[in-house]
Amino acid sequence: MMTRKKWISAIMVIILISVQWSVEAQVKYILAPSPELKVEGGSSLHDWDMTSNAAKGEGQFIIEGNQFKGIRSLQVSMEAESLKSGTKGLDANAYKALDTKKNKEVKFTLKELTGSGNSYQAKGDFTIAGVTKPASFPVKVTQNGNRVTFEGSYNTKLTDYSIDPPTALLGTVKTRDEITIKFKTTFQPNN
């Protein structure tokens, strides 16, 4: 039989757990429309970039008192052929190099986000052209009301993803191996 003291202790533990759950909540967030996604690179002729404003994503965010405190999970994906340069020939070469007939999506899956304030370090996996590789890069995080924006860039190489840098004009124009993936994405609660 429980004594009065044990009953009070048990009730206090339940109250503390309830308060903690209300202060720290895991909230499902989804990617807001019109993310800014860009791949920058260059060739022996000129620099180039391809952009997309179409992607989907979702995650479980940790929110304490309406403030972003971290992420439990996050995944963003986009159709590879949503990337556009404004030049049909460049787009066609890029889609061929990415083998978009077989590898329709480019995807990022977050494994860990560390840091505080506005400065974080993201670790996760990029899947590009059907090849998945670990990635680590700095991310700036800002909050406006219940919307959370992530901004950053990741430097990598095409050959890291088994992509042969495309050539044009009988091989006289060669794409450089180095690329930069830039992003500015905003997430909002899934209401």
Side-chain angles (χ1 to χ4, degrees), residues 109-143:
T109 303
L110 183 72
K111 300 292 185 188
E112 181 183 31
L113 186 71
T114 56
S116 62
N118 290 11
S119 298
Y120 287 82
Q121 186 74 19
K123 291 182 182 177
D125 292 330
F126 266 109
T127 301
I128 302 170
V131 175
T132 302
K133 294 282 185 177
S136 179
F137 48 90
V139 178
K140 178 183 173 188
V141 179
T142 55
Q143 185 174 354

mmCIF file of all heavy atoms in Angstrom, residues 109-143:
data_model
loop_
_atom_site.group_PDB
_atom_site.id
_atom_site.type_symbol
_atom_site.label_atom_id
_atom_site.label_comp_id
_atom_site.label_asym_id
_atom_site.label_seq_id
_atom_site.Cartn_x
_atom_site.Cartn_y
_atom_site.Cartn_z
ATOM 1 N N THR A 109 19.112 13.198 -46.917
ATOM 2 C CA THR A 109 18.548 12.695 -45.672
ATOM 3 C C THR A 109 19.464 13.116 -44.530
ATOM 4 O O THR A 109 20.641 12.739 -44.499
ATOM 5 C CB THR A 109 18.424 11.154 -45.702
ATOM 6 O OG1 THR A 109 17.625 10.779 -46.826
ATOM 7 C CG2 THR A 109 17.779 10.636 -44.424
ATOM 8 N N LEU A 110 18.940 13.927 -43.620
ATOM 9 C CA LEU A 110 19.716 14.410 -42.483
ATOM 10 C C LEU A 110 19.895 13.292 -41.466
ATOM 11 O O LEU A 110 18.949 12.576 -41.139
ATOM 12 C CB LEU A 110 18.992 15.592 -41.823
ATOM 13 C CG LEU A 110 19.719 16.239 -40.655
ATOM 14 C CD1 LEU A 110 20.921 17.031 -41.146
ATOM 15 C CD2 LEU A 110 18.781 17.147 -39.874
ATOM 16 N N LYS A 111 21.109 13.152 -40.968
ATOM 17 C CA LYS A 111 21.422 12.182 -39.915
ATOM 18 C C LYS A 111 21.632 12.874 -38.573
ATOM 19 O O LYS A 111 21.320 12.323 -37.531
ATOM 20 C CB LYS A 111 22.676 11.379 -40.269
ATOM 21 C CG LYS A 111 22.577 10.593 -41.554
ATOM 22 C CD LYS A 111 21.598 9.464 -41.438
ATOM 23 C CE LYS A 111 21.612 8.625 -42.696
ATOM 24 N NZ LYS A 111 20.568 7.639 -42.708
ATOM 25 N N GLU A 112 22.195 14.112 -38.618
ATOM 26 C CA GLU A 112 22.513 14.825 -37.378
ATOM 27 C C GLU A 112 22.621 16.317 -37.656
ATOM 28 O O GLU A 112 23.164 16.729 -38.681
ATOM 29 C CB GLU A 112 23.842 14.293 -36.827
ATOM 30 C CG GLU A 112 24.286 14.925 -35.541
ATOM 31 C CD GLU A 112 25.643 14.401 -35.073
ATOM 32 O OE1 GLU A 112 26.491 14.043 -35.907
ATOM 33 O OE2 GLU A 112 25.840 14.363 -33.850
ATOM 34 N N LEU A 113 22.088 17.122 -36.731
ATOM 35 C CA LEU A 113 22.228 18.575 -36.805
ATOM 36 C C LEU A 113 22.711 19.039 -35.445
ATOM 37 O O LEU A 113 22.045 18.829 -34.434
ATOM 38 C CB LEU A 113 20.893 19.237 -37.152
ATOM 39 C CG LEU A 113 20.956 20.743 -37.388
ATOM 40 C CD1 LEU A 113 21.663 21.043 -38.712
ATOM 41 C CD2 LEU A 113 19.558 21.357 -37.403
ATOM 42 N N THR A 114 23.914 19.644 -35.405
ATOM 43 C CA THR A 114 24.473 20.113 -34.150
ATOM 44 C C THR A 114 24.743 21.605 -34.242
ATOM 45 O O THR A 114 24.984 22.144 -35.312
ATOM 46 C CB THR A 114 25.789 19.369 -33.813
ATOM 47 O OG1 THR A 114 26.706 19.518 -34.917
ATOM 48 C CG2 THR A 114 25.547 17.896 -33.565
ATOM 49 N N GLY A 115 24.695 22.266 -33.098
ATOM 50 C CA GLY A 115 24.946 23.697 -33.047
ATOM 51 C C GLY A 115 23.891 24.385 -32.219
ATOM 52 O O GLY A 115 23.105 23.756 -31.505
ATOM 53 N N SER A 116 23.862 25.720 -32.329
ATOM 54 C CA SER A 116 22.862 26.504 -31.605
ATOM 55 C C SER A 116 22.755 27.878 -32.239
ATOM 56 O O SER A 116 23.564 28.238 -33.099
ATOM 57 C CB SER A 116 23.244 26.627 -30.127
ATOM 58 O OG SER A 116 24.472 27.317 -30.009
ATOM 59 N N GLY A 117 21.747 28.631 -31.792
ATOM 60 C CA GLY A 117 21.532 29.960 -32.352
ATOM 61 C C GLY A 117 21.222 29.865 -33.823
ATOM 62 O O GLY A 117 20.266 29.197 -34.209
ATOM 63 N N ASN A 118 22.036 30.510 -34.663
ATOM 64 C CA ASN A 118 21.840 30.458 -36.118
ATOM 65 C C ASN A 118 22.851 29.554 -36.811
ATOM 66 O O ASN A 118 22.733 29.311 -38.004
ATOM 67 C CB ASN A 118 21.967 31.864 -36.721
ATOM 68 C CG ASN A 118 20.810 32.753 -36.351
ATOM 69 O OD1 ASN A 118 20.015 32.432 -35.495
ATOM 70 N ND2 ASN A 118 20.718 33.894 -37.008
ATOM 71 N N SER A 119 23.869 29.077 -36.086
ATOM 72 C CA SER A 119 24.958 28.327 -36.712
ATOM 73 C C SER A 119 24.900 26.843 -36.341
ATOM 74 O O SER A 119 25.030 26.491 -35.167
ATOM 75 C CB SER A 119 26.303 28.890 -36.271
ATOM 76 O OG SER A 119 26.418 30.238 -36.683
ATOM 77 N N TYR A 120 24.733 26.025 -37.376
ATOM 78 C CA TYR A 120 24.626 24.580 -37.180
ATOM 79 C C TYR A 120 25.544 23.859 -38.166
ATOM 80 O O TYR A 120 25.982 24.429 -39.161
ATOM 81 C CB TYR A 120 23.190 24.111 -37.394
ATOM 82 C CG TYR A 120 22.259 24.493 -36.270
ATOM 83 C CD1 TYR A 120 21.692 25.760 -36.215
ATOM 84 C CD2 TYR A 120 21.947 23.589 -35.261
ATOM 85 C CE1 TYR A 120 20.837 26.116 -35.181
ATOM 86 C CE2 TYR A 120 21.092 23.930 -34.226
ATOM 87 C CZ TYR A 120 20.537 25.193 -34.186
ATOM 88 O OH TYR A 120 19.697 25.539 -33.165
ATOM 89 N N GLN A 121 25.795 22.593 -37.883
ATOM 90 C CA GLN A 121 26.526 21.715 -38.785
ATOM 91 C C GLN A 121 25.603 20.542 -39.104
ATOM 92 O O GLN A 121 25.119 19.870 -38.197
ATOM 93 C CB GLN A 121 27.823 21.224 -38.136
ATOM 94 C CG GLN A 121 28.717 20.413 -39.038
ATOM 95 C CD GLN A 121 29.440 21.251 -40.081
ATOM 96 O OE1 GLN A 121 29.568 22.460 -39.951
ATOM 97 N NE2 GLN A 121 29.905 20.618 -41.139
ATOM 98 N N ALA A 122 25.349 20.337 -40.401
ATOM 99 C CA ALA A 122 24.490 19.238 -40.841
ATOM 100 C C ALA A 122 25.348 18.075 -41.297
ATOM 101 O O ALA A 122 26.360 18.264 -41.964
ATOM 102 C CB ALA A 122 23.596 19.702 -41.989
ATOM 103 N N LYS A 123 24.920 16.869 -40.924
ATOM 104 C CA LYS A 123 25.546 15.638 -41.417
ATOM 105 C C LYS A 123 24.424 14.755 -41.930
ATOM 106 O O LYS A 123 23.394 14.604 -41.266
ATOM 107 C CB LYS A 123 26.309 14.919 -40.303
ATOM 108 C CG LYS A 123 27.546 15.647 -39.847
ATOM 109 C CD LYS A 123 28.284 14.870 -38.788
ATOM 110 C CE LYS A 123 29.507 15.654 -38.323
ATOM 111 N NZ LYS A 123 30.221 14.978 -37.249
ATOM 112 N N GLY A 124 24.630 14.225 -43.124
ATOM 113 C CA GLY A 124 23.607 13.372 -43.697
ATOM 114 C C GLY A 124 24.104 12.696 -44.948
ATOM 115 O O GLY A 124 25.312 12.621 -45.182
ATOM 116 N N ASP A 125 23.166 12.221 -45.743
ATOM 117 C CA ASP A 125 23.486 11.514 -46.980
ATOM 118 C C ASP A 125 22.837 12.200 -48.172
ATOM 119 O O ASP A 125 21.632 12.459 -48.153
ATOM 120 C CB ASP A 125 22.971 10.067 -46.924
ATOM 121 C CG ASP A 125 23.713 9.218 -45.904
ATOM 122 O OD1 ASP A 125 24.910 9.484 -45.662
ATOM 123 O OD2 ASP A 125 23.100 8.286 -45.362
ATOM 124 N N PHE A 126 23.654 12.484 -49.196
ATOM 125 C CA PHE A 126 23.137 12.921 -50.489
ATOM 126 C C PHE A 126 23.045 11.704 -51.393
ATOM 127 O O PHE A 126 23.977 10.893 -51.444
ATOM 128 C CB PHE A 126 24.082 13.940 -51.156
ATOM 129 C CG PHE A 126 23.735 15.373 -50.880
ATOM 130 C CD1 PHE A 126 24.538 16.137 -50.060
ATOM 131 C CD2 PHE A 126 22.614 15.958 -51.461
ATOM 132 C CE1 PHE A 126 24.232 17.461 -49.806
ATOM 133 C CE2 PHE A 126 22.299 17.279 -51.206
ATOM 134 C CZ PHE A 126 23.106 18.029 -50.381
ATOM 135 N N THR A 127 21.938 11.577 -52.117
ATOM 136 C CA THR A 127 21.811 10.564 -53.159
ATOM 137 C C THR A 127 21.680 11.313 -54.476
ATOM 138 O O THR A 127 20.711 12.046 -54.686
ATOM 139 C CB THR A 127 20.590 9.647 -52.928
ATOM 140 O OG1 THR A 127 20.742 9.013 -51.649
ATOM 141 C CG2 THR A 127 20.493 8.585 -54.008
ATOM 142 N N ILE A 128 22.693 11.153 -55.337
ATOM 143 C CA ILE A 128 22.748 11.837 -56.628
ATOM 144 C C ILE A 128 23.115 10.795 -57.671
ATOM 145 O O ILE A 128 24.070 10.036 -57.480
ATOM 146 C CB ILE A 128 23.793 12.980 -56.613
ATOM 147 C CG1 ILE A 128 23.470 13.990 -55.502
ATOM 148 C CG2 ILE A 128 23.874 13.663 -57.968
ATOM 149 C CD1 ILE A 128 24.561 15.023 -55.255
ATOM 150 N N ALA A 129 22.361 10.748 -58.754
ATOM 151 C CA ALA A 129 22.604 9.781 -59.839
ATOM 152 C C ALA A 129 22.629 8.345 -59.315
ATOM 153 O O ALA A 129 23.394 7.514 -59.789
ATOM 154 C CB ALA A 129 23.884 10.122 -60.602
ATOM 155 N N GLY A 130 21.805 8.071 -58.308
ATOM 156 C CA GLY A 130 21.704 6.731 -57.765
ATOM 157 C C GLY A 130 22.803 6.340 -56.794
ATOM 158 O O GLY A 130 22.824 5.218 -56.300
ATOM 159 N N VAL A 131 23.727 7.254 -56.494
ATOM 160 C CA VAL A 131 24.842 6.973 -55.577
ATOM 161 C C VAL A 131 24.632 7.780 -54.300
ATOM 162 O O VAL A 131 24.385 8.985 -54.352
ATOM 163 C CB VAL A 131 26.201 7.333 -56.226
ATOM 164 C CG1 VAL A 131 27.341 7.161 -55.239
ATOM 165 C CG2 VAL A 131 26.432 6.496 -57.476
ATOM 166 N N THR A 132 24.740 7.113 -53.158
ATOM 167 C CA THR A 132 24.564 7.766 -51.857
ATOM 168 C C THR A 132 25.921 7.919 -51.175
ATOM 169 O O THR A 132 26.670 6.958 -51.049
ATOM 170 C CB THR A 132 23.605 6.954 -50.969
ATOM 171 O OG1 THR A 132 22.350 6.824 -51.645
ATOM 172 C CG2 THR A 132 23.393 7.618 -49.631
ATOM 173 N N LYS A 133 26.206 9.156 -50.748
ATOM 174 C CA LYS A 133 27.473 9.465 -50.080
ATOM 175 C C LYS A 133 27.199 10.351 -48.860
ATOM 176 O O LYS A 133 26.305 11.200 -48.890
ATOM 177 C CB LYS A 133 28.414 10.231 -51.012
ATOM 178 C CG LYS A 133 28.901 9.441 -52.194
ATOM 179 C CD LYS A 133 29.993 8.503 -51.787
ATOM 180 C CE LYS A 133 30.561 7.791 -53.003
ATOM 181 N NZ LYS A 133 31.656 6.940 -52.653
ATOM 182 N N PRO A 134 27.999 10.198 -47.788
ATOM 183 C CA PRO A 134 27.842 11.076 -46.628
ATOM 184 C C PRO A 134 28.308 12.490 -46.960
ATOM 185 O O PRO A 134 29.199 12.685 -47.788
ATOM 186 C CB PRO A 134 28.727 10.431 -45.565
ATOM 187 C CG PRO A 134 29.719 9.620 -46.321
ATOM 188 C CD PRO A 134 29.056 9.204 -47.605
ATOM 189 N N ALA A 135 27.682 13.463 -46.283
ATOM 190 C CA ALA A 135 28.018 14.869 -46.490
ATOM 191 C C ALA A 135 27.960 15.600 -45.154
ATOM 192 O O ALA A 135 27.159 15.251 -44.289
ATOM 193 C CB ALA A 135 27.033 15.503 -47.472
ATOM 194 N N SER A 136 28.813 16.604 -45.009
ATOM 195 C CA SER A 136 28.818 17.444 -43.817
ATOM 196 C C SER A 136 29.062 18.880 -44.261
ATOM 197 O O SER A 136 29.974 19.132 -45.051
ATOM 198 C CB SER A 136 29.919 16.980 -42.859
ATOM 199 O OG SER A 136 29.947 17.797 -41.715
ATOM 200 N N PHE A 137 28.225 19.817 -43.773
ATOM 201 C CA PHE A 137 28.347 21.204 -44.207
ATOM 202 C C PHE A 137 27.674 22.137 -43.201
ATOM 203 O O PHE A 137 26.772 21.731 -42.467
ATOM 204 C CB PHE A 137 27.742 21.399 -45.603
ATOM 205 C CG PHE A 137 26.368 20.792 -45.756
ATOM 206 C CD1 PHE A 137 25.229 21.523 -45.482
ATOM 207 C CD2 PHE A 137 26.225 19.478 -46.170
ATOM 208 C CE1 PHE A 137 23.977 20.965 -45.612
ATOM 209 C CE2 PHE A 137 24.974 18.898 -46.309
ATOM 210 C CZ PHE A 137 23.838 19.657 -46.026
ATOM 211 N N PRO A 138 28.117 23.423 -43.158
ATOM 212 C CA PRO A 138 27.498 24.392 -42.255
ATOM 213 C C PRO A 138 26.129 24.839 -42.773
ATOM 214 O O PRO A 138 25.902 24.916 -43.979
ATOM 215 C CB PRO A 138 28.489 25.558 -42.250
ATOM 216 C CG PRO A 138 29.249 25.429 -43.520
ATOM 217 C CD PRO A 138 29.252 23.975 -43.891
ATOM 218 N N VAL A 139 25.236 25.125 -41.829
ATOM 219 C CA VAL A 139 23.880 25.574 -42.161
ATOM 220 C C VAL A 139 23.514 26.756 -41.272
ATOM 221 O O VAL A 139 23.733 26.716 -40.054
ATOM 222 C CB VAL A 139 22.846 24.438 -41.936
ATOM 223 C CG1 VAL A 139 21.443 24.931 -42.225
ATOM 224 C CG2 VAL A 139 23.164 23.236 -42.791
ATOM 225 N N LYS A 140 22.974 27.797 -41.890
ATOM 226 C CA LYS A 140 22.435 28.935 -41.139
ATOM 227 C C LYS A 140 20.942 28.677 -40.945
ATOM 228 O O LYS A 140 20.228 28.376 -41.910
ATOM 229 C CB LYS A 140 22.655 30.234 -41.922
ATOM 230 C CG LYS A 140 22.078 31.459 -41.234
ATOM 231 C CD LYS A 140 22.265 32.697 -42.095
ATOM 232 C CE LYS A 140 21.544 33.876 -41.472
ATOM 233 N NZ LYS A 140 21.541 35.038 -42.374
ATOM 234 N N VAL A 141 20.470 28.790 -39.701
ATOM 235 C CA VAL A 141 19.066 28.542 -39.381
ATOM 236 C C VAL A 141 18.447 29.829 -38.849
ATOM 237 O O VAL A 141 18.987 30.448 -37.931
ATOM 238 C CB VAL A 141 18.916 27.418 -38.325
ATOM 239 C CG1 VAL A 141 17.453 27.187 -37.996
ATOM 240 C CG2 VAL A 141 19.564 26.128 -38.815
ATOM 241 N N THR A 142 17.329 30.242 -39.451
ATOM 242 C CA THR A 142 16.594 31.410 -38.967
ATOM 243 C C THR A 142 15.133 31.026 -38.792
ATOM 244 O O THR A 142 14.624 30.133 -39.468
ATOM 245 C CB THR A 142 16.707 32.604 -39.941
ATOM 246 O OG1 THR A 142 16.289 32.195 -41.247
ATOM 247 C CG2 THR A 142 18.119 33.133 -40.012
ATOM 248 N N GLN A 143 14.468 31.726 -37.878
ATOM 249 C CA GLN A 143 13.064 31.447 -37.603
ATOM 250 C C GLN A 143 12.266 32.727 -37.737
ATOM 251 O O GLN A 143 12.673 33.777 -37.254
ATOM 252 C CB GLN A 143 12.911 30.856 -36.195
ATOM 253 C CG GLN A 143 11.507 30.423 -35.883
ATOM 254 C CD GLN A 143 11.404 29.709 -34.543
ATOM 255 O OE1 GLN A 143 12.401 29.437 -33.882
ATOM 256 N NE2 GLN A 143 10.185 29.407 -34.133
#
